Amino acid sequence: MDKALHLLIDGRLVAGAGEMPVINPATGKAFALAPRADAAQLDTAVAAARRAFPGWAALSYADRRAFLERFADGVEARFEEFARLMTMEQGKPLDQARFEVGGTIAGLRYFAAQEIVSHVIRDTAQERITEHHSPLGVVAAITPWNFPLILLVVKLAPALITGNVVIAKPAPTTPLTTLLLGEVAADILPGGVFQTLADANDLGALLSTHAGVAHVSFTGSTATGKKVLSSTVDTLKRFTLELGGNDAALVLDDADVNKVAPAIFGAAMVNAGQVCLAAKRVYAPRALYDDLCAALGALARAAVVGEGLDQGSQIGPVQNAAQFAKLVDYLAEARQQGQIVAGGAPLDREGYFIAPTIVRDLPDDARLVREEQFGPVLPVLAYDDLGAAIEAINASEYGLGGTIWTGNPERGEQVAALIDSGTVWVNRHLDLPFDVAFGGAKQSGIGRQQGVEGLLEFTQAKIINMAKG
Ligand code: ADP
């Protein structure tokens, strides 16, 4: 069993009030112990954050930038350690873990270079009115288990550079990379500016109701997001909610099946389908339907499924036992209601492995079509009328992302305008540059991350209105 990492509270690396095992999803067995914080440690962290806030907020952007740059250097120096730990706790293939760690470093550096500048609204002989953006205070960054680092960094880095202080609470099944980030920060950032609290799913609600927390930045399921929203009410906290999705990949009748099938397969299967913005249902015109199903099926059969640390693995296990059980349920229903083109069952081995699965001929109201499966199981539906397909896509309560696949990008852009979601890609997927905001429509979220909007989320506008003379 690996040695336990520590919580970072008030500038010190400390043990938790308790400990909890961390499971490697490739084996289903515990491989490390993580500290488990309790409510008293949470209170200590919030108090420390509040003490640290005025000093951090008073620094110039340039001073905070220097800290964030050193933080990025610190992560870079332990790049491989981060990547291997992520594969161990999360399950993803090592090259995908490395990609995420690379994105984490790039995100720290990108946001370190940003600045929200004050601007003059009016400046006359009689008056000057200026608008400033002040930090909010203590930010609780609550994250899920699919991308433990990058989803934290798109909160952490914008919050810190704009002058806030941050308490990170990772998901209970993937605490280790967040704790390692805390260990790196311990030697670099002033005490209380960034803190880490690992829990067993019991501290999220305490953080999001805590009177000392000013903003809750949450990424997770829509059901939990609704709880977060209601828990911010008492103190009128600010919040950002990045929630679930049921993104459609819409194939137009001018698409080249051989070209789009691998792209759609990647969009659905990256991170074993555990991506809020993954392609979760495919709509294909009747004339291309058989060919597309066959091409996706061939890709599913050819994909190398295996332990993330094994060279060549393309799809790892799903992250935890609860998610595995949910997918096994979806598969049972899919076998009854549709036709399995490829996969269709868990692998006969230890760990939480599901064979990449393509399902066709499901009815529109099948759970696998309506709900967010969050796994390597993809339903493909045929349509006869594009308008009806768009209507079916928009009928979802979710509206996070989506993709259009076409031989004619301009036509794709026009169709994209009709999809009711926060991001629609045409002939590409998961392109999420840090200068572009993303977020959900409908029940996929409130607020935006990244881009200027993502920075502004961590500030409040403040007007200074001065009479001259
Ligand atoms: P899942 O259902 O897939 O486990 P969640 O959306 O429940 O995902 O979890 C996302 C994050 O929210 C995790 O860090 C989890 O511990 C945290 N969390 C769970 N319940 C609450 C809550 N009531 N308030 C705030 N955060 C919570």
Side-chain angles (χ1 to χ4, degrees):
M1 197 90 61
D2 282 7
K3 87 172 167 52
L5 289 159
H6 296 89
L7 308 171
L8 174 60
I9 298 178
D10 200 9
R12 283 179 307 126
L13 294 169
V14 297
E19 284 187 331
M20 55 188 187
V22 182
I23 308 283
N24 177 347
T27 62
K29 296 192 178 73
F31 73 100
L33 286 173
R36 178 181 170 185
D38 66 3
Q41 288 181 308
L42 184 150
D43 280 336
T44 304
V46 174
R50 288 176 69 87
R51 281 195 304 277
F53 173 57
W56 182 251
L59 293 179
S60 65
Y61 269 89
D63 287 344
R64 289 195 294 262
R65 177 168 308 133
F67 277 112
L68 287 188
E69 282 290 349
R70 282 180 56 211
F71 193 8
D73 293 343
V75 178
E76 202 155 27
R78 296 172 79 169
F79 187 103
E80 202 56 24
E81 192 184 347
F82 271 104
R84 295 186 80 80
L85 192 60
M86 181 173 308
T87 291
M88 295 282 284
E89 69 171 350
Q90 205 284 331
K92 67 186 66 188
L94 194 54
D95 56 350
Q96 292 181 33
R98 289 189 181 122
F99 187 73
E100 185 171 345
V101 178
T104 299
I105 296 161
L108 283 169
R109 296 203 196 287
Y110 175 80
F111 289 107
Q114 303 308 304
E115 180 169 351
I116 302 291
V117 269
S118 302
H119 78 279
V120 179
I121 297 172
R122 207 181 281 178
D123 193 5
T124 66
Q126 291 79 35
E127 62 181 358
R128 183 161 65 236
I129 304 177
T130 48
E131 186 182 35
H132 309 264
H133 287 272
S134 323
L136 297 170
V138 181
V139 170
I142 302 178
T143 46
W145 41 256
N146 55 341
F147 292 94
L149 278 185
I150 193 72
L151 293 180
L152 172 57
V153 157
V154 296
K155 304 176 186 308
L156 176 63
L160 290 182
I161 194 64
T162 48
N164 300 275
V165 295
V166 175
I167 299 175
K169 196 213 77 61
T173 54
T174 53
L176 300 177
T177 42
T178 299
L179 295 171
L180 186 58
L181 203 61
E183 300 219 350
V184 170
D187 294 333
I188 296 170
L189 298 178
V193 165
F194 172 49
Q195 302 178 87
T196 57
L197 294 175
D199 73 336
N201 230 8
D202 50 345
L203 296 186
L206 288 181
L207 261 180
S208 49
T209 47
H210 202 293
V213 170
H215 181 111
V216 184
S217 184
F218 172 85
T219 301
S221 65
T222 293
T224 306
K226 289 178 185 179
K227 290 185 197 162
V228 172
L229 179 53
S230 63
S231 66
T232 58
V233 168
D234 263 359
T235 54
L236 284 187
K237 285 184 189 38
R238 278 41 175 176
F239 55 84
T240 307
L241 301 175
E242 290 292 344
L243 308 178
N246 189 12
D247 295 0
L250 175 57
V251 180
L252 302 188
D253 55 10
D254 55 19
D256 174 347
V257 167
N258 292 325
K259 231 162 121 176
V260 303
I264 293 174
F265 186 75
M269 300 293 171
V270 60
N271 208 31
Q274 304 163 117
V275 186
C276 51
L277 287 153
K280 297 195 174 118
R281 45 190 173 136
V282 180
Y283 289 81
R286 184 82 55 193
L288 304 182
Y289 188 57
D290 288 344
D291 285 352
L292 184 66
C293 288
L296 290 170
L299 289 161
R301 280 185 288 274
V304 181
V305 183
E307 201 163 328
L309 290 178
D310 289 349
Q311 186 120 34
S313 290
Q314 294 166 329
I315 301 179
V318 297
Q319 202 276 320
N320 57 67
Q323 191 55 28
F324 180 77
K326 196 173 130 188
L327 287 162
V328 168
D329 254 21
Y330 281 127
L331 288 173
E333 204 177 275
R335 281 195 300 269
Q336 270 174 10
Q337 297 188 337
Q339 263 196 70
I340 304 287
V341 182
L347 297 193
D348 185 18
R349 55 169 288 177
E350 64 171 8
Y352 310 134
F353 290 92
I354 302 272
T357 297
I358 306 296
V359 188
R360 57 173 289 170
D361 301 323
L362 279 171
D364 281 347
D365 62 355
R367 282 176 57 221
L368 190 57
V369 177
R370 281 186 297 112
E371 297 177 6
E372 179 176 37
Q373 68 274 42
F374 222 66
V377 180
L378 182 66
V380 188
L381 302 133
Y383 71 82
D384 297 300
D385 172 65
L386 181 59
I390 293 170
E391 212 169 290
I393 289 168
N394 287 340
S396 173
E397 70 204 21
Y398 295 115
L400 192 58
T403 49
I404 313 288
W405 302 94
T406 171
N408 178 349
E410 273 72 34
R411 180 178 172 220
E413 206 177 23
Q414 284 163 16
V415 174
L418 304 174
I419 305 294
D420 191 5
S421 69
T423 302
V424 188
W425 287 280
V426 178
N427 290 342
R428 58 174 16 172
H429 179 245
L430 271 192
D431 181 48
L432 288 165
F434 294 121
D435 58 338
V436 177
F438 79 92
K442 299 189 277 186
Q443 293 192 34
S444 287
I446 301 179
R448 290 292 178 266
Q449 294 196 101
Q450 304 193 161
V452 177
E453 291 99 318
L455 285 155
L456 288 172
E457 293 261 320
F458 293 109
T459 70
Q460 54 202 337
K462 174 175 176 180
I463 300 294
I464 299 184
N465 184 329
M466 176 187 73
K468 287 186 181 171

